[in-house]
Amino acid sequence: MIVIESVAAMQSMSESLRRQGKKISFVPTMGYFHEGHLALMREAKKMADCLVISIYVNPTQFGPKEDLSKYPRNFERDYKMAQNVGVDVILYPPDKEMYPENYQTYVLVEKTTQNLCGLSRPSHFRGVTTVCSKLFNIVKPHYAVFGKKDYQQYVTIKRMVADLNMDLEIIGLPTVREADGLAMSSRNVYLQENERSSALKLVESLKLAQRMYDQGERKSSMIIKETTNLIKSALDTEIDYIKICDGSTLVDIENITAEAVMALAVKVGTTRLIDNHVFGETF
Ligand code: AMP
């Protein structure tokens, strides 16, 4: 496994692999790995001759009042974990490689970024699509693997790749959960012990929604009402949103039809958590 910090070195390695007819798979991350990241890497490993991952805490996707400076980082630990799953290359660029002086270009997907997290994080997805476009141009992968834990991100990246005719395939993989059901996230380290049971209300409310659906409920408002009550009943929770949307446009829907997704963002103490569930899928 090698670590590459320079954009030019990564591009020339990828170019050389492509000339030899080798396939490249790619998992972009912000590091501080957990089993969710490793699951993406294991799948990506199977798809190609060379697995590249990136570790980059991208400043342009954090708002001015968000947790950029305290986002958890531990390169040594991530390095060992990546080595154990058979990663070939870690792209670990410094900020000056990604956003040199006079940087001024951004990529914006207009519609899928409006709802859900886009409501309270207005510049977030512009940062995500910009950094992913740059990373795709740097790594030149045939396949890029994303987690559906960040469902809006996955849908938005797929939209961008289709709209801009980017020559790679986006693969989405299911959310990896802790034994108790909590969706794995690098931000879970911020949770105090007494906040854990409140954090579990996210997955419990998705399960409640699925049960109501199984019993024939199709009105979004009814499901949202019950799940809101469930989350409000837990200590230290502040709901950012609970919504039911069309799974590909992410527009709110009143009546649940095929491919609907329920998505929620809740602050537990000071930690903002997100989770989602596509109706009919298993947990
Ligand atoms: P991050 O480091 O949080 O930017 O995440 C990097 C990638 O890992 C993204 O594609 C995420 O959607 C994915 N990911 C994060 N948490 C999970 C999880 N619990 N299950 C599956 N994928 C995940």
Side-chain angles (χ1 to χ4, degrees):
M1 185 172 81
I2 59 168
V3 178
I4 296 182
E5 296 192 11
S6 121
V7 166
M10 185 72 244
Q11 282 174 319
S12 80
M13 180 177 175
S14 291
E15 203 44 54
S16 149
L17 286 164
R18 278 182 165 257
R19 268 201 307 275
Q20 297 165 49
K22 304 263 203 252
K23 296 282 187 205
I24 302 167
S25 57
F26 178 44
V27 181
T29 82
M30 299 206 297
Y32 212 77
F33 295 152
H34 51 67
E35 217 17 73
H37 294 112
L38 302 184
L40 304 189
M41 293 178 206
R42 286 193 198 98
E43 274 310 302
K45 176 86 188 160
K46 293 184 206 155
M47 290 170 196
D49 304 296
C50 179
L51 167 58
V52 180
I53 66 162
S54 59
I55 299 179
Y56 183 59
V57 181
N58 172 38
T60 64
Q61 71 190 67
F62 288 79
K65 291 191 193 126
E66 293 178 2
D67 58 351
L68 171 64
S69 63
K70 68 177 188 106
Y71 195 84
R73 294 166 170 88
N74 188 337
F75 184 77
E76 296 302 309
R77 174 176 168 274
D78 288 348
Y79 181 96
K80 289 190 194 116
M81 290 167 89
Q83 200 163 36
N84 283 338
V85 296
V87 168
D88 298 296
V89 180
I90 301 182
L91 174 65
Y92 185 51
D95 284 339
K96 63 179 189 321
E97 278 288 296
M98 295 299 281
Y99 298 106
E101 210 177 311
N102 207 24
Y103 188 89
Q104 49 191 289
T105 305
Y106 295 88
V107 178
L108 181 65
V109 177
E110 286 189 341
K111 291 187 185 157
T112 61
T113 58
Q114 297 284 314
N115 200 3
L116 307 176
C117 289
L119 296 168
S120 58
R121 306 185 74 192
S123 58
H124 172 67
F125 290 107
R126 183 182 89 137
V128 169
T129 44
T130 299
V131 81
C132 285
S133 304
K134 288 171 67 64
L135 291 168
F136 295 163
N137 284 333
I138 296 165
V139 176
K140 306 174 193 276
H142 297 84
Y143 310 104
V145 180
F146 287 81
K148 290 190 184 171
K149 147 98 180 0
D150 300 282
Y151 193 84
Q152 189 172 17
Q153 168 173 285
Y154 163 69
V155 167
T156 299
I157 296 287
K158 266 183 97 84
R159 188 72 260 154
M160 172 186 82
V161 164
D163 287 354
L164 296 181
N165 310 99
M166 292 180 171
D167 190 15
L168 79 161
E169 190 181 329
I170 301 299
I171 291 122
L173 294 181
T175 300
V176 177
R177 296 177 181 281
E178 306 278 359
D180 59 11
L182 181 67
M184 288 193 181
S185 165
S186 305
R187 289 188 170 96
N188 290 352
V189 293
Y190 301 146
L191 290 171
Q192 308 292 319
E193 208 150 302
N194 59 347
E195 291 171 345
R196 181 89 185 189
S197 63
S198 294
L200 279 174
K201 296 292 178 208
L202 277 84
V203 64
E204 283 172 24
S205 63
L206 295 173
K207 287 181 176 167
L208 169 63
Q210 180 63 47
R211 276 201 306 278
M212 290 177 74
Y213 178 85
D214 289 341
Q215 286 158 11
E217 183 60 73
R218 291 294 181 271
K219 283 248 163 294
S220 299
S221 56
M222 293 306 290
I223 294 181
I224 289 169
K225 187 169 143 230
E226 293 298 319
T227 49
T228 300
N229 288 341
L230 178 66
I231 289 182
K232 279 190 172 161
S233 73
L235 281 179
D236 283 334
T237 53
E238 186 188 322
I239 295 170
D240 179 355
Y241 63 78
I242 300 180
K243 282 173 172 268
I244 297 178
C245 303
D246 178 277
S248 44
T249 63
L250 303 186
V251 170
D252 294 348
I253 49 177
E254 274 176 35
N255 296 301
I256 304 173
T257 50
E259 248 214 66
V261 63
M262 174 151 166
L264 66 169
V266 178
K267 247 172 122 181
V268 177
T270 55
T271 310
R272 186 175 179 278
L273 300 175
I274 58 169
D275 205 344
N276 70 82
H277 174 65
V278 174
F279 286 95
E281 287 187 357
T282 47
F283 283 92

